[in-house]
Amino acid sequence: MTAPITLGLVGLGTIARNQHLPSLAETPALALVAIASRNAALDDLPAYHDIHEMLAAEPGLQAVSLCTPPQGRFEQAVAAIRAGRHVMLEKPPGASVSEVTALAHLAQENGVTLFATWHSREAAAVEEARRRLAEAQVRRVQITWKEDVRHWHPGQEWIWQPGGLGVFDPGINALSVLTRILPDAVHPVAATLEVPANRQSPIAAQMDMVTSSGAPVRAEFDWRQTGPQTWDILVETDGSEILLRLGGAELHVDGVQVSTSVDLEYRRLYARFAELVASGQSEVDLSPLQLVADAFLLGERRTVEAFHW
Ligand code: NAP
């Protein structure tokens, strides 16, 4: 058996604790050996203030997983790649499209793996939806992604700042699934961004897109939904109606639930990262981030009620 790839995790926040730590513990191909976080540490691992300290102090470290907010991740990734370490990026992979393109080139030049992850693509029913849509003629798509920002992002100021994406922080998950399951490419034709009077990023957004064969794709994102939360993608085709619910965990075909499964999203991401490192490859698909960037380019901005936690 080959030795596990040694990995350092950067940014010990919500997603690192909820998903990355338990998933790494179940991935024998990777060994978590260090943490870099300014305000957090784990009892049983070396802890560093930031990635620069970690890279300097851990010459044997082979890979890093960046779980920090998108703003600032570019500099962290550059430091790791220049130090010859493989890099896994949380979604969205960066604060702009071009910075991630630059990272992909840098990774190639330095002979390391860059993996831009899209965890929602690993949701249980996504591949089955993709398989069912592969030969279908898509007639219409409706994305409804509505959740309560106070519940899911309590106190996170970075989501409201430039580069934080606002409601597209969860919304990009829907777009990552959309771009995985549809047989055709999509592009936005119009968007509306509802921005709280005291914030920089939208609390709600609507996007109208079309597929390359002309089918309309409507997306509605809203962070003001209390009560039941909605993460649905409905695809009407010339045959069946495909409905992905709960962010891709459940598949309904013509109104009948056909699958549900346990959440293995981050376990699959880490298994894939280990495979990419072992085979000397990178995986960087920017299409979901490109769609969000286009929404900001095309978007009509409307100022809405100020947001307070
Ligand atoms: P978070 O709770 O704010 O954690 C991020 C951590 O990064 C912080 O605890 C902080 O740790 C560190 N950090 C470094 N620079 C920072 C800065 N300038 N501002 C704030 N924190 C900074 O965020 P998160 O929810 O884990 O999200 C991190 C990434 O994961 C985002 O890209 C997000 O889209 C993605 N993600 C989140 C979820 C979710 O449900 N929360 C789900 C999937 C993916 P120190 O202060 O100790 O340095």
Side-chain angles (χ1 to χ4, degrees), residues 11-15 37-40 67-70 73 90-92 119 156 158 169 266:
L12 193 54
T14 310
I15 199 62
S37 210
R38 300 161 310 178
N39 302 295
C67 306
T68 47
R73 217 187 278 141
E90 250 299 353
K91 52 61 57 172
H119 68 88
Q156 290 181 355
W158 61 264
D169 176 73
Y266 281 81

Side-chain angles (χ1 to χ4, degrees), residues 10-20 35-41 48-50 66-73 76 89-94 117 119-120 147 152-159 161 164-165 168-170 172-173 265-266:
V10 185
L12 193 54
T14 310
I15 199 62
R17 289 183 188 275
N18 290 352
Q19 293 288 350
H20 289 254
I35 299 285
S37 210
R38 300 161 310 178
N39 302 295
Y48 303 97
H49 181 260
D50 58 39
L66 301 184
C67 306
T68 47
Q71 308 102 318
R73 217 187 278 141
Q76 297 159 355
L89 302 170
E90 250 299 353
K91 52 61 57 172
T117 64
H119 68 88
S120 291
E147 60 176 54
W152 298 104
H153 295 274
Q156 290 181 355
E157 286 300 328
W158 61 264
I159 57 173
Q161 291 158 4
L165 297 194
F168 286 104
D169 176 73
I172 202 168
N173 296 333
E265 293 178 17
Y266 281 81

Side-chain angles (χ1 to χ4, degrees), residues 33-297:
V33 298
I35 299 285
S37 210
R38 300 161 310 178
N39 302 295
L42 294 177
D43 288 342
D44 51 349
L45 284 181
Y48 303 97
H49 181 260
D50 58 39
I51 189 168
H52 304 287
E53 274 188 16
M54 183 173 76
L55 293 172
E58 300 278 347
L61 193 70
Q62 293 169 288
V64 298
S65 179
L66 301 184
C67 306
T68 47
Q71 308 102 318
R73 217 187 278 141
F74 176 76
E75 287 74 18
Q76 297 159 355
V78 166
I81 292 169
R82 289 223 164 101
R85 322 298 168 91
H86 308 287
V87 175
M88 176 161 141
L89 302 170
E90 250 299 353
K91 52 61 57 172
S96 77
V97 179
S98 45
E99 73 175 33
V100 190
T101 306
L103 282 184
H105 289 308
L106 194 66
Q108 195 173 16
E109 279 165 25
N110 284 270
V112 298
T113 292
L114 181 68
F115 181 26
T117 64
W118 298 108
H119 68 88
S120 291
R121 287 184 174 175
E122 305 301 331
V126 169
E127 282 310 303
E128 178 60 13
R130 174 182 161 88
R131 194 187 65 72
R132 286 175 184 257
L133 289 169
E135 305 298 328
Q137 196 67 43
V138 173
R139 299 254 193 259
R140 186 181 80 90
V141 183
Q142 171 73 43
I143 295 172
T144 312
W145 222 254
K146 298 185 177 182
E147 60 176 54
D148 182 354
V149 65
R150 291 182 177 85
H151 177 81
W152 298 104
H153 295 274
Q156 290 181 355
E157 286 300 328
W158 61 264
I159 57 173
W160 297 113
Q161 291 158 4
L165 297 194
V167 75
F168 286 104
D169 176 73
I172 202 168
N173 296 333
L175 299 173
S176 75
V177 174
L178 179 80
T179 46
R180 179 73 188 156
I181 62 174
L182 285 195
D184 299 331
V186 288
H187 69 272
V189 290
T192 308
L193 311 175
E194 297 184 33
V195 182
N198 60 341
R199 304 285 172 170
Q200 295 292 327
S201 352
I203 193 165
Q206 301 85 43
M207 273 172 90
D208 285 302
M209 297 170 268
V210 287
T211 69
S212 52
S213 47
V217 179
R218 169 84 176 169
E220 293 177 9
F221 307 109
D222 205 322
W223 246 347
R224 298 167 297 196
Q225 175 138 316
T226 52
Q229 309 282 284
T230 313
W231 300 284
D232 288 356
I233 301 177
L234 175 73
V235 187
E236 291 175 6
T237 75
D238 55 341
S240 304
E241 183 187 271
I242 301 287
L243 173 61
L244 278 173
R245 306 206 67 187
L246 302 176
E250 266 182 33
L251 178 63
H252 298 243
V253 178
D254 294 328
V256 178
Q257 185 174 335
V258 296
S259 79
T260 182
S261 181
V262 288
D263 171 9
L264 295 173
E265 293 178 17
Y266 281 81
R267 282 157 188 77
R268 290 177 175 169
L269 290 180
Y270 275 112
R272 178 80 186 129
F273 185 46
E275 272 174 22
L276 289 169
V277 170
S279 61
Q281 293 175 294
S282 286
E283 194 172 290
V284 181
D285 176 10
L286 290 176
S287 54
L289 188 62
Q290 182 68 63
L291 291 178
V292 172
D294 286 351
F296 278 90
L297 282 173

